[in-house]
Amino acid sequence: MYIVSDSSSNLLSFEGVGYSTVPLKIISETKEYVDDVSLDVENMVNEMSQSKEKFGTSCPNAYEWLDAFEEKDDIFAITITSKLSGSYNAAETAANMLMEKEPEKKICVLDSFSTGPEMQLIIEKLKELKEKGLPFGEIKEKIKAYMQKTNLIFSLQSLANLAKNGRVSPAVAKIAGVLGIRLVGMASEGTLKPLHKCRGEKKTLETLKEVMMDMGYKGGKVRISHCLNLEAAQKLKDSILRVFPKTDIKINICTALCSFYAEKGGLLVGFET
Ligand code: X90
């Protein structure tokens, strides 16, 4: 098995199975940040906050996906939601190009309808299924079933970059535009669904936990990605552990793509139900 994800997974390396990422990019007229291990994300966020330029993003094209598939077998490719990015379409195109050239290759492209930590859960599950020694077709079925039981919720202090790039409506972006107000929401049908307006961090973390419970969380795996907000991520982790002491919870940082859209302070929470 070989797994390729786009860099929106925030998982630029992963041990124990063949794995690589194809980067998305953050671009302005004069700058380009490539979402790979060589990038200093904190520096990017600070540079951008001081810049007057307009920044956008671009997803990998089909040739970049195809490069990642080259010489690999039993490939699973996983992308950010096709509702907000062209990454899935590009990966699909690449998969078709590959199969035309080498029809015996097995490849499966998965649209996460999500991003970040929910993609992480899916990647980790793929590795687990591989370790069970299951055949490709069965892994494909099982991972699709698993993806029905993974979720993503988030809290955002600013939705300015999402709005400027047409990924949420200006009306939704306005919710979090006020100082101290954060938007708690969930990924639903591949897009952002606003749920609650929260004032202050304490209330926000409580709300995130409540939303998890409402969605049917019962102690499954949790993955938290944060944009320059380790402290809040740690507090959320601790508060979940108080209810479910044995839960497997891991924290990592948002790399470039998720940092750009989640913005400073943003939290993304992927969890199993
Ligand atoms: O193709 C591209 O240029 C990339 C566009 C990506 C746009 C959305 C990124 C969202 C990142 C924000 C909060 C979580 C939203 C979950 C929605 C499914 C993270």
Side-chain angles (χ1 to χ4, degrees):
M1 176 190 286
Y2 190 80
I3 305 171
V4 189
S5 97
D6 67 42
S7 63
S8 75
S9 63
N10 302 318
L11 204 64
L12 300 182
S13 66
F14 186 55
E15 301 293 306
V17 61
Y19 178 79
S20 63
T21 56
V22 287
L24 287 105
K25 291 174 190 146
I26 322 300
I27 38 178
S28 72
E29 289 214 322
T30 62
K31 264 234 92 127
E32 177 177 274
Y33 301 100
V34 179
D35 193 3
D36 64 22
V37 280
S38 63
L39 183 76
D40 177 345
V41 180
E42 186 164 350
N43 179 56
M44 177 195 85
V45 173
N46 291 330
E47 272 181 18
M48 280 193 320
S49 70
Q50 276 151 38
S51 164
K52 290 202 167 62
E53 289 192 78
K54 185 188 181 310
F55 286 91
T57 57
S58 78
C59 67
N61 63 37
Y63 294 100
E64 291 168 301
W65 278 106
L66 191 61
D67 268 350
F69 300 159
E70 214 70 64
E71 318 263 305
K72 306 294 190 295
D73 291 298
D74 296 356
I75 304 162
F76 283 89
I78 172 139
T79 75
I80 185 168
T81 170
S82 62
K83 295 279 178 73
L84 298 176
S85 169
S87 188
Y88 174 76
N89 276 326
E92 266 284 298
T93 304
N96 289 332
M97 286 156 79
L98 180 73
M99 284 182 305
E100 217 160 89
K101 227 173 50 179
E102 299 170 80
E104 74 290 347
K105 290 258 167 168
K106 294 198 191 89
I107 177 159
C108 169
V109 183
L110 301 165
D111 182 350
S112 71
F113 283 96
S114 183
T115 190
E118 189 174 355
M119 288 170 71
Q120 271 181 59
L121 288 171
I122 297 163
I123 292 161
E124 290 175 16
K125 177 60 81 176
L126 280 169
K127 178 181 151 194
E128 230 177 275
L129 293 169
K130 180 220 161 195
E131 283 166 352
K132 285 190 178 152
L134 299 175
F136 190 83
E138 207 166 312
I139 295 180
K140 209 164 130 176
E141 262 171 47
K142 289 220 151 73
I143 200 66
K144 285 183 179 168
Y146 179 72
M147 288 165 75
Q148 302 300 310
K149 293 191 233 133
T150 55
N151 311 273
L152 182 77
I153 59 172
F154 53 81
S155 75
L156 303 175
Q157 286 176 219
S158 163
L159 282 78
N161 286 336
L162 281 162
K164 280 183 207 158
N165 287 283
R167 263 75 186 193
V168 294
S169 72
V172 169
K174 249 182 146 170
I175 304 175
V178 189
L179 208 65
I181 299 292
R182 296 146 206 223
L183 176 71
V184 169
M186 65 187 281
S188 170
E189 289 167 15
T191 62
L192 284 84
K193 180 174 172 186
L195 294 172
H196 303 282
K197 247 161 102 163
C198 299
R199 187 177 291 277
E201 184 184 84
K202 192 160 172 272
K203 182 74 193 147
T204 304
L205 296 178
E206 276 166 22
T207 305
L208 281 169
K209 198 167 119 188
E210 272 165 33
V211 169
M212 282 176 75
M213 302 302 167
D214 289 349
M215 288 169 73
Y217 177 71
K218 293 203 178 59
K221 270 162 84 171
V222 181
R223 298 291 176 263
I224 306 171
S225 303
H226 67 90
C227 179
L228 309 183
N229 201 1
L230 175 61
E231 208 187 313
Q234 190 64 51
K235 281 184 189 158
L236 180 64
K237 176 179 172 179
D238 292 345
S239 113
I240 299 167
L241 283 174
R242 279 198 286 276
V243 189
F244 299 101
K246 289 207 177 82
T247 299
D248 169 9
I249 308 180
K250 289 198 180 98
I251 299 174
N252 70 358
I253 62 158
C254 288
T255 65
L257 190 277
C258 282
S259 286
F260 177 70
Y261 284 110
E263 300 195 43
K264 221 175 203 158
L267 292 181
L268 308 182
V269 186
F271 61 96
E272 298 177 344
T273 45

